[in-house]
Structures are given as structure tokens and as C-alpha cells.
Amino acid sequence: MCPPVPTIADFDNDGRRVLVDLIGKSVWRSLDQALASLTVFAHPDAVGSVGTRAVFRTIRGGPKGTIIGDAMLDDNASPATAFEWATGFKRGPDLQCNHLYAAARDPASYSDLRNICYTPTFIAKLTDSQREDVPEHHLSHLLRYRAFELYSYAGPQGSPPSRKPSGYDDLVWPDPIGGGATAEVAAATFRRNMARRPKDRLAKAARLVGWTFSDYRPDETVIYLGS
């Protein structure tokens, strides 16, 4: 006779306990190691190739495509596109673009590759926090410290992490992607890809409010045929 299959009640209706139990029985052994192994960061070369700053002048909000001052309202399309074009990352199903620090209304941080990573959607929720001060043992601290280690990046406010998360040195991280990227190749890649989507709202952002490749001045060389 087969042993009974656990239900959510066996975990006191606690979804995190279910995930911790499953991961604990896997090759990763811990939620921290699963997060480290399954998170994708941009290589410092890729970050430098786009100027070590936000690629687009965008912020989160709607209606998408609306220009407000020197920024355009958008969803996660601009940070995701910036990451993927700069690194060559090919996103598969059930992966999510995440911000390490709250940046929804900050055009200087929203599409900055140093503030972005990709994780599977099943673990992304555990890393997300829009709070300025996140709880001490929140998983986002691992990702933030990794960004500090890779880029000396400490978020929009520039305050270094107060301490290294417990157990951090025992974690194994995959290599960041996009090594060998150069400014010349990045500019050519972004402009070539942009030329293929002249009705896209990111073309609108680049043309009307600028992007890193025009030093944040409106870029009249970008064709925008939308409304």
C-alpha cells in the first residue's frame, strides 16, 4: 500500500514550508542554494557595455507608452529587454525579470542591469519586496549582496549592504552572462533590434526621451512609427 500523499494541511497551510521541504529533498538542499543556482545575473562586461546605468528612461505605470516629463510609463518590458539584449539571454517559459531594489518610479534604476536578475517564477515571489527596509532574513538580501559582489552596486541610494548574509560564502553561484560584451557591439545590437520594431513603445521612449546610447537625449535616429 502506498504511503499517504502529504496535503497542504500537513504543512499547517503554509506554502513556504511546502517549498522548503521540497527543495530540502532536492540536489540544492536549501532554499538559499536553489536561489543562488537558479538566478541569472548580467556579467560586469554587459553592464559596462550599456554605460553602467539605466538603458531606457522608463518607470512602471500606465497607460503604458505615456510620456511623463523625461520618462515613459511602462511595465517590465523595458528592464527585461535591456537585460536580454545586453547579455544575449534567451528567456524561456516561467522565468521572471526581478528588481533587487524598489525602482518602480525611478528611471535611473528601473532598467539598470545591476538592479535586475532573472529567476524561475516559482521562487521569484520569495525574493520580491517593494519595501525600503526588508526583513533581516528575506531572500532578497542574498541577491543584493551578489550584485554588490559583482558590480559594487548598492541600490539607488548607494548604501553598501550592512553585512554579508549568513551562509553566503557557502553558496555556489553560476557565472553571470554576457562576458566579453563591448560598448560598440551593444550599441549596434540595440539599434539593430530597435529598427526591427518601429511601432514598439520602447522605440518611442528612445526617440522622445532618449536612452543610454544618446546620453538620455531624444534620439532622432531611432524610427518610431506608432501613435
Side-chain angles (χ1 to χ4, degrees):
M1 184 175 180
C2 295
V5 177
T7 68
I8 190 64
D10 294 307
F11 297 92
D12 295 327
N13 298 329
D14 185 334
R16 184 186 179 97
R17 282 187 58 189
V18 175
L19 184 58
V20 168
D21 183 75
L22 290 172
I23 294 297
K25 296 173 181 175
S26 74
V27 294
W28 296 297
R29 304 295 295 275
S30 73
L31 203 52
D32 288 3
Q33 183 57 64
L35 177 64
S37 296
L38 301 174
T39 299
V40 181
F41 280 93
H43 193 281
D45 291 346
V47 170
S49 75
V50 294
T52 316
R53 59 183 181 178
V55 174
F56 300 103
R57 294 290 300 175
T58 54
I59 56 178
R60 179 180 291 280
K64 295 185 291 291
T66 300
I67 303 294
I68 297 181
D70 63 349
M72 186 190 76
L73 300 181
D74 193 31
D75 54 16
N76 248 19
S78 47
T81 298
F83 188 98
E84 292 167 24
W85 288 0
T87 63
F89 181 61
K90 305 298 183 185
R91 175 175 41 166
D94 295 318
L95 290 183
Q96 182 171 315
C97 177
N98 310 292
H99 284 93
L100 309 183
Y101 295 87
R105 304 295 293 183
D106 180 10
S109 303
Y110 194 55
S111 61
D112 186 335
L113 303 189
R114 298 172 299 173
N115 194 31
I116 299 168
C117 67
Y118 266 95
T119 62
T121 53
F122 82 87
I123 207 169
K125 182 176 177 60
L126 300 180
T127 71
D128 183 48
S129 179
Q130 296 303 308
R131 297 169 51 177
E132 292 297 329
D133 298 312
V134 297
E136 181 179 358
H137 298 294
H138 197 276
L139 286 179
S140 63
H141 288 297
L142 294 176
L143 301 181
R144 291 180 178 187
Y145 199 87
R146 179 61 170 164
F148 184 71
E149 185 177 59
L150 288 172
Y151 325 116
S152 297
Y153 180 69
Q157 305 305 319
S159 299
S162 58
R163 63 175 181 79
K164 184 182 293 186
S166 176
Y168 182 87
D169 288 335
D170 296 326
L171 300 177
V172 179
W173 298 83
D175 292 334
I177 63 172
T182 65
E184 294 76 13
V185 171
T189 299
F190 273 77
R191 290 188 179 280
R192 180 174 61 251
N193 290 342
M194 194 71 79
R196 295 171 178 161
R197 41 200 292 185
K199 294 185 178 181
D200 192 280
R201 63 178 178 272
L202 292 183
K204 180 179 183 178
R207 183 173 180 87
L208 298 185
V209 297
W211 55 343
T212 187
F213 302 108
S214 64
D215 201 23
Y216 299 144
R217 292 187 292 269
D219 191 344
E220 295 183 357
T221 68
V222 174
I223 304 301
Y224 175 61
L225 302 178
S227 57

